[in-house]
Amino acid sequence: LFDLSTKNKLDLSCVKIHYASNKEELETYFNIYHKEYTFIRSDKKYQNKNINTVDFLDVVGKDYENVLMVIDTNYFYNKNKLASYDSSDNDYLNLKILYQGLTRTRENVVLIIYRNKMLFKELTNNLI
């Protein structure tokens, strides 16, 4: 995910990647995974009261069986390395937030790529 140039044969059976082109599709995925997954929210704009949600600031030192995270238009690949546009209203770097959330996972990860077709294509072409 973070470096596409390191092509290893990975067991990705515990990773699901979905694409959501609009808020309704995003909500649909939240509803699908709401019972078994913990949504680690990196941005307050992604809210859904039906899914167990944890803010990324609250996950340090904790682990979760199944984690769901949203990767939006703030992320892109630059020379096969994941990069991000960091917003001025957030004191934390997006890549560090994503890394922190993903490393809290014990079993399964769901990544929802939201409104970012280019990243979805690059990711799925290189990982799957």
Side-chain angles (χ1 to χ4, degrees):
L1 174 66
F2 290 94
D3 186 353
L4 296 178
S5 65
T6 58
K7 292 190 177 198
N8 297 324
K9 292 186 178 186
L10 301 172
D11 176 12
L12 297 174
S13 61
C14 60
V15 178
K16 293 179 185 172
I17 302 171
H18 299 288
Y19 180 77
S21 61
N22 56 50
K23 185 139 177 122
E24 291 77 26
E25 290 178 4
L26 183 62
E27 292 294 322
T28 298
Y29 287 120
F30 283 152
N31 290 333
I32 290 170
Y33 293 106
H34 79 277
K35 288 184 180 176
E36 297 176 15
Y37 282 76
T38 299
F39 172 39
I40 298 179
R41 183 180 63 204
S42 59
D43 193 318
K44 292 188 189 291
K45 67 184 168 189
Y46 302 117
Q47 305 245 20
N48 183 304
K49 56 186 164 232
N50 295 327
I51 191 168
N52 181 26
T53 303
V54 180
D55 192 87
F56 75 94
L57 291 170
D58 298 326
V59 302
V60 176
K62 298 177 184 172
D63 290 329
Y64 302 90
E65 290 301 314
N66 303 307
V67 168
L68 179 146
M69 291 194 76
V70 174
I71 300 175
D72 62 12
T73 56
N74 286 319
Y75 297 87
F76 59 96
Y77 281 103
N78 182 11
K79 298 179 183 174
N80 283 330
K81 298 211 187 253
L82 189 62
S84 72
Y85 303 107
D86 292 309
S87 62
S88 59
D89 62 338
N90 189 345
D91 292 336
Y92 301 94
L93 300 175
N94 287 331
L95 290 176
K96 297 209 183 260
I97 293 170
L98 181 61
Y99 180 81
Q100 181 65 31
L102 292 176
T103 59
R104 303 297 90 210
T105 307
R106 285 189 198 131
E107 294 292 328
N108 300 295
V109 173
V110 169
L111 298 174
I112 302 173
I113 312 302
Y114 181 55
R115 298 177 58 200
N116 192 339
K117 277 190 183 178
M118 183 64 77
L119 185 129
F120 180 75
K121 284 181 184 178
E122 290 184 64
L123 184 60
T124 54
N125 287 340
N126 283 286
L127 288 182
I128 298 173

mmCIF file of all heavy atoms in Angstrom, residues 21-41:
data_model
loop_
_atom_site.group_PDB
_atom_site.id
_atom_site.type_symbol
_atom_site.label_atom_id
_atom_site.label_comp_id
_atom_site.label_asym_id
_atom_site.label_seq_id
_atom_site.Cartn_x
_atom_site.Cartn_y
_atom_site.Cartn_z
ATOM 1 N N SER A 21 -17.939 5.922 -5.113
ATOM 2 C CA SER A 21 -17.874 7.150 -5.916
ATOM 3 C C SER A 21 -18.686 8.294 -5.331
ATOM 4 O O SER A 21 -18.549 9.430 -5.768
ATOM 5 C CB SER A 21 -18.323 6.874 -7.350
ATOM 6 O OG SER A 21 -19.658 6.424 -7.354
ATOM 7 N N ASN A 22 -19.539 7.984 -4.345
ATOM 8 C CA ASN A 22 -20.353 9.042 -3.736
ATOM 9 C C ASN A 22 -20.685 8.665 -2.296
ATOM 10 O O ASN A 22 -20.388 7.567 -1.838
ATOM 11 C CB ASN A 22 -21.624 9.298 -4.566
ATOM 12 C CG ASN A 22 -22.452 8.037 -4.745
ATOM 13 O OD1 ASN A 22 -22.754 7.336 -3.792
ATOM 14 N ND2 ASN A 22 -22.794 7.729 -5.999
ATOM 15 N N LYS A 23 -21.300 9.599 -1.603
ATOM 16 C CA LYS A 23 -21.600 9.412 -0.180
ATOM 17 C C LYS A 23 -22.542 8.228 0.048
ATOM 18 O O LYS A 23 -22.407 7.503 1.032
ATOM 19 C CB LYS A 23 -22.207 10.691 0.389
ATOM 20 C CG LYS A 23 -22.429 10.614 1.871
ATOM 21 C CD LYS A 23 -22.060 11.897 2.529
ATOM 22 C CE LYS A 23 -22.375 11.810 3.993
ATOM 23 N NZ LYS A 23 -21.264 12.032 4.840
ATOM 24 N N GLU A 24 -23.496 8.010 -0.866
ATOM 25 C CA GLU A 24 -24.439 6.901 -0.721
ATOM 26 C C GLU A 24 -23.715 5.551 -0.777
ATOM 27 O O GLU A 24 -24.016 4.651 0.009
ATOM 28 C CB GLU A 24 -25.528 6.964 -1.799
ATOM 29 C CG GLU A 24 -26.495 8.119 -1.649
ATOM 30 C CD GLU A 24 -25.919 9.466 -2.112
ATOM 31 O OE1 GLU A 24 -25.006 9.479 -2.980
ATOM 32 O OE2 GLU A 24 -26.371 10.507 -1.586
ATOM 33 N N GLU A 25 -22.779 5.417 -1.689
ATOM 34 C CA GLU A 25 -22.008 4.172 -1.771
ATOM 35 C C GLU A 25 -21.137 3.983 -0.533
ATOM 36 O O GLU A 25 -21.010 2.876 -0.025
ATOM 37 C CB GLU A 25 -21.148 4.158 -3.030
ATOM 38 C CG GLU A 25 -21.952 4.010 -4.296
ATOM 39 C CD GLU A 25 -21.106 4.055 -5.556
ATOM 40 O OE1 GLU A 25 -19.859 4.128 -5.463
ATOM 41 O OE2 GLU A 25 -21.700 4.026 -6.646
ATOM 42 N N LEU A 26 -20.558 5.070 -0.053
ATOM 43 C CA LEU A 26 -19.766 5.005 1.171
ATOM 44 C C LEU A 26 -20.628 4.525 2.334
ATOM 45 O O LEU A 26 -20.239 3.637 3.091
ATOM 46 C CB LEU A 26 -19.157 6.374 1.479
ATOM 47 C CG LEU A 26 -18.242 6.471 2.690
ATOM 48 C CD1 LEU A 26 -17.013 5.593 2.530
ATOM 49 C CD2 LEU A 26 -17.833 7.925 2.909
ATOM 50 N N GLU A 27 -21.812 5.073 2.456
ATOM 51 C CA GLU A 27 -22.742 4.666 3.509
ATOM 52 C C GLU A 27 -23.139 3.201 3.363
ATOM 53 O O GLU A 27 -23.295 2.494 4.359
ATOM 54 C CB GLU A 27 -23.997 5.547 3.493
ATOM 55 C CG GLU A 27 -23.748 6.985 3.893
ATOM 56 C CD GLU A 27 -23.330 7.140 5.339
ATOM 57 O OE1 GLU A 27 -23.860 6.423 6.204
ATOM 58 O OE2 GLU A 27 -22.448 7.977 5.603
ATOM 59 N N THR A 28 -23.285 2.743 2.142
ATOM 60 C CA THR A 28 -23.618 1.335 1.898
ATOM 61 C C THR A 28 -22.529 0.425 2.463
ATOM 62 O O THR A 28 -22.820 -0.569 3.128
ATOM 63 C CB THR A 28 -23.813 1.066 0.399
ATOM 64 O OG1 THR A 28 -24.912 1.861 -0.064
ATOM 65 C CG2 THR A 28 -24.091 -0.398 0.123
ATOM 66 N N TYR A 29 -21.277 0.766 2.207
ATOM 67 C CA TYR A 29 -20.176 -0.040 2.752
ATOM 68 C C TYR A 29 -20.143 0.024 4.277
ATOM 69 O O TYR A 29 -19.894 -0.981 4.937
ATOM 70 C CB TYR A 29 -18.837 0.379 2.162
ATOM 71 C CG TYR A 29 -18.673 -0.066 0.731
ATOM 72 C CD1 TYR A 29 -18.482 0.858 -0.279
ATOM 73 C CD2 TYR A 29 -18.726 -1.418 0.386
ATOM 74 C CE1 TYR A 29 -18.335 0.451 -1.597
ATOM 75 C CE2 TYR A 29 -18.597 -1.829 -0.917
ATOM 76 C CZ TYR A 29 -18.396 -0.884 -1.904
ATOM 77 O OH TYR A 29 -18.262 -1.303 -3.203
ATOM 78 N N PHE A 30 -20.377 1.198 4.834
ATOM 79 C CA PHE A 30 -20.451 1.297 6.294
ATOM 80 C C PHE A 30 -21.522 0.349 6.832
ATOM 81 O O PHE A 30 -21.326 -0.332 7.834
ATOM 82 C CB PHE A 30 -20.780 2.716 6.742
ATOM 83 C CG PHE A 30 -19.624 3.685 6.681
ATOM 84 C CD1 PHE A 30 -19.859 5.028 6.488
ATOM 85 C CD2 PHE A 30 -18.316 3.266 6.838
ATOM 86 C CE1 PHE A 30 -18.812 5.930 6.451
ATOM 87 C CE2 PHE A 30 -17.262 4.161 6.804
ATOM 88 C CZ PHE A 30 -17.510 5.501 6.604
ATOM 89 N N ASN A 31 -22.663 0.314 6.162
ATOM 90 C CA ASN A 31 -23.760 -0.547 6.613
ATOM 91 C C ASN A 31 -23.434 -2.034 6.457
ATOM 92 O O ASN A 31 -23.865 -2.855 7.260
ATOM 93 C CB ASN A 31 -25.045 -0.195 5.871
ATOM 94 C CG ASN A 31 -25.576 1.157 6.287
ATOM 95 O OD1 ASN A 31 -25.348 1.628 7.401
ATOM 96 N ND2 ASN A 31 -26.269 1.823 5.376
ATOM 97 N N ILE A 32 -22.684 -2.393 5.438
ATOM 98 C CA ILE A 32 -22.288 -3.786 5.232
ATOM 99 C C ILE A 32 -21.371 -4.265 6.353
ATOM 100 O O ILE A 32 -21.510 -5.368 6.868
ATOM 101 C CB ILE A 32 -21.592 -3.959 3.864
ATOM 102 C CG1 ILE A 32 -22.607 -3.794 2.736
ATOM 103 C CG2 ILE A 32 -20.875 -5.309 3.775
ATOM 104 C CD1 ILE A 32 -21.976 -3.703 1.355
ATOM 105 N N TYR A 33 -20.435 -3.416 6.749
ATOM 106 C CA TYR A 33 -19.394 -3.833 7.693
ATOM 107 C C TYR A 33 -19.632 -3.376 9.126
ATOM 108 O O TYR A 33 -18.794 -3.627 9.991
ATOM 109 C CB TYR A 33 -18.029 -3.313 7.216
ATOM 110 C CG TYR A 33 -17.594 -3.975 5.936
ATOM 111 C CD1 TYR A 33 -17.637 -3.292 4.726
ATOM 112 C CD2 TYR A 33 -17.152 -5.287 5.930
ATOM 113 C CE1 TYR A 33 -17.242 -3.903 3.548
ATOM 114 C CE2 TYR A 33 -16.768 -5.910 4.759
ATOM 115 C CZ TYR A 33 -16.814 -5.213 3.571
ATOM 116 O OH TYR A 33 -16.434 -5.822 2.418
ATOM 117 N N HIS A 34 -20.760 -2.770 9.409
ATOM 118 C CA HIS A 34 -20.959 -2.129 10.718
ATOM 119 C C HIS A 34 -20.929 -3.089 11.905
ATOM 120 O O HIS A 34 -20.541 -2.704 13.001
ATOM 121 C CB HIS A 34 -22.253 -1.309 10.726
ATOM 122 C CG HIS A 34 -23.494 -2.114 10.897
ATOM 123 N ND1 HIS A 34 -24.108 -2.751 9.840
ATOM 124 C CD2 HIS A 34 -24.217 -2.385 11.988
ATOM 125 C CE1 HIS A 34 -25.172 -3.387 10.292
ATOM 126 N NE2 HIS A 34 -25.267 -3.183 11.593
ATOM 127 N N LYS A 35 -21.300 -4.343 11.728
ATOM 128 C CA LYS A 35 -21.367 -5.259 12.877
ATOM 129 C C LYS A 35 -20.013 -5.828 13.272
ATOM 130 O O LYS A 35 -19.766 -6.067 14.442
ATOM 131 C CB LYS A 35 -22.334 -6.404 12.576
ATOM 132 C CG LYS A 35 -23.777 -5.979 12.580
ATOM 133 C CD LYS A 35 -24.695 -7.151 12.376
ATOM 134 C CE LYS A 35 -26.138 -6.668 12.382
ATOM 135 N NZ LYS A 35 -27.058 -7.747 12.084
ATOM 136 N N GLU A 36 -19.147 -6.044 12.304
ATOM 137 C CA GLU A 36 -17.905 -6.759 12.587
ATOM 138 C C GLU A 36 -16.651 -5.896 12.541
ATOM 139 O O GLU A 36 -15.585 -6.345 12.945
ATOM 140 C CB GLU A 36 -17.747 -7.913 11.599
ATOM 141 C CG GLU A 36 -18.850 -8.949 11.727
ATOM 142 C CD GLU A 36 -18.728 -10.033 10.674
ATOM 143 O OE1 GLU A 36 -17.666 -10.144 10.036
ATOM 144 O OE2 GLU A 36 -19.703 -10.767 10.493
ATOM 145 N N TYR A 37 -16.756 -4.676 12.057
ATOM 146 C CA TYR A 37 -15.575 -3.847 11.853
ATOM 147 C C TYR A 37 -15.610 -2.582 12.690
ATOM 148 O O TYR A 37 -16.675 -2.037 12.981
ATOM 149 C CB TYR A 37 -15.437 -3.458 10.370
ATOM 150 C CG TYR A 37 -14.888 -4.596 9.538
ATOM 151 C CD1 TYR A 37 -15.695 -5.676 9.185
ATOM 152 C CD2 TYR A 37 -13.569 -4.598 9.123
ATOM 153 C CE1 TYR A 37 -15.194 -6.731 8.441
ATOM 154 C CE2 TYR A 37 -13.055 -5.646 8.381
ATOM 155 C CZ TYR A 37 -13.871 -6.697 8.045
ATOM 156 O OH TYR A 37 -13.371 -7.749 7.317
ATOM 157 N N THR A 38 -14.427 -2.114 13.046
ATOM 158 C CA THR A 38 -14.266 -0.831 13.715
ATOM 159 C C THR A 38 -13.737 0.153 12.683
ATOM 160 O O THR A 38 -12.711 -0.100 12.049
ATOM 161 C CB THR A 38 -13.271 -0.935 14.888
ATOM 162 O OG1 THR A 38 -13.780 -1.874 15.835
ATOM 163 C CG2 THR A 38 -13.076 0.420 15.559
ATOM 164 N N PHE A 39 -14.452 1.235 12.516
ATOM 165 C CA PHE A 39 -14.056 2.280 11.585
ATOM 166 C C PHE A 39 -13.101 3.221 12.307
ATOM 167 O O PHE A 39 -13.476 3.881 13.267
ATOM 168 C CB PHE A 39 -15.295 3.024 11.085
ATOM 169 C CG PHE A 39 -15.013 4.248 10.261
ATOM 170 C CD1 PHE A 39 -13.984 4.283 9.341
ATOM 171 C CD2 PHE A 39 -15.803 5.366 10.411
ATOM 172 C CE1 PHE A 39 -13.749 5.419 8.580
ATOM 173 C CE2 PHE A 39 -15.581 6.506 9.658
ATOM 174 C CZ PHE A 39 -14.551 6.536 8.740
ATOM 175 N N ILE A 40 -11.852 3.240 11.873
ATOM 176 C CA ILE A 40 -10.894 4.185 12.433
ATOM 177 C C ILE A 40 -10.945 5.418 11.545
ATOM 178 O O ILE A 40 -10.513 5.393 10.392
ATOM 179 C CB ILE A 40 -9.479 3.591 12.527
ATOM 180 C CG1 ILE A 40 -9.507 2.386 13.478
ATOM 181 C CG2 ILE A 40 -8.492 4.656 13.009
ATOM 182 C CD1 ILE A 40 -8.178 1.689 13.646
ATOM 183 N N ARG A 41 -11.506 6.448 12.101
ATOM 184 C CA ARG A 41 -11.782 7.675 11.351
ATOM 185 C C ARG A 41 -10.567 8.591 11.385
ATOM 186 O O ARG A 41 -10.062 8.953 12.439
ATOM 187 C CB ARG A 41 -12.993 8.379 11.957
ATOM 188 C CG ARG A 41 -13.412 9.623 11.215
ATOM 189 C CD ARG A 41 -14.598 10.271 11.847
ATOM 190 N NE ARG A 41 -14.228 10.697 13.191
ATOM 191 C CZ ARG A 41 -15.085 10.874 14.167
ATOM 192 N NH1 ARG A 41 -16.344 10.646 13.984
ATOM 193 N NH2 ARG A 41 -14.670 11.272 15.340
#
